[in-house]
Amino acid sequence: MLLAWLMCYVGFTALCLSTDRHHGELLRSKPSPRRRLGLRAVGGGSLTLSIWPAVAASGWAQGLVEWCAVLMLSALLLVLLLPYWPRLALSLAGVGLLAGPVAAFATL
């Protein structure tokens, strides 16, 4: 479930960064249309692909329920971090990108 959570958090952070407000707040610039499209693609793809580790770990019935819980928890963490510690929210996404392959190999 760690891999699913990391992928969900990275996906929500990428979708968050695709907006003008949060991109300017976190990275101090406005996203170009190309970057915005790329961030949306990465965010949507990461959220879609995060179903795979959840289903692989627990089967379709329980895996989808756990995936929904992981979606909610990762979104809740991001929403709670953004107003108070926006840099920490961005740093956790970076750690998630680095720890994702390690978590993938750990589940094999």
Side-chain angles (χ1 to χ4, degrees):
M1 290 312 326
L2 176 65
L3 180 59
W5 182 81
L6 290 172
M7 291 174 74
C8 286
Y9 188 80
V10 168
F12 279 128
T13 305
L15 288 175
C16 173
L17 287 174
S18 70
T19 63
D20 287 335
R21 177 180 177 211
H22 295 299
H23 195 280
E25 199 174 88
L26 294 172
L27 300 177
R28 309 278 189 243
S29 66
K30 283 196 157 200
S32 66
R34 188 174 183 176
R35 178 178 282 183
R36 183 178 294 125
L37 184 64
L39 285 168
R40 286 181 184 165
V42 166
S46 180
L47 289 174
T48 303
L49 289 176
S50 68
I51 296 172
W52 169 71
V55 169
S58 303
W60 279 101
Q62 188 67 25
L64 288 178
V65 173
E66 291 175 0
W67 178 70
C68 288
V70 165
L71 274 175
M72 288 186 289
L73 288 174
S74 61
L76 178 68
L77 179 65
L78 184 63
V79 166
L80 291 176
L81 285 177
L82 274 177
Y84 302 109
W85 299 292
R87 290 305 212 182
L88 179 62
L90 189 61
S91 298
L92 282 177
V95 169
L97 282 174
L98 294 174
V102 173
F105 284 118
T107 60
L108 294 178

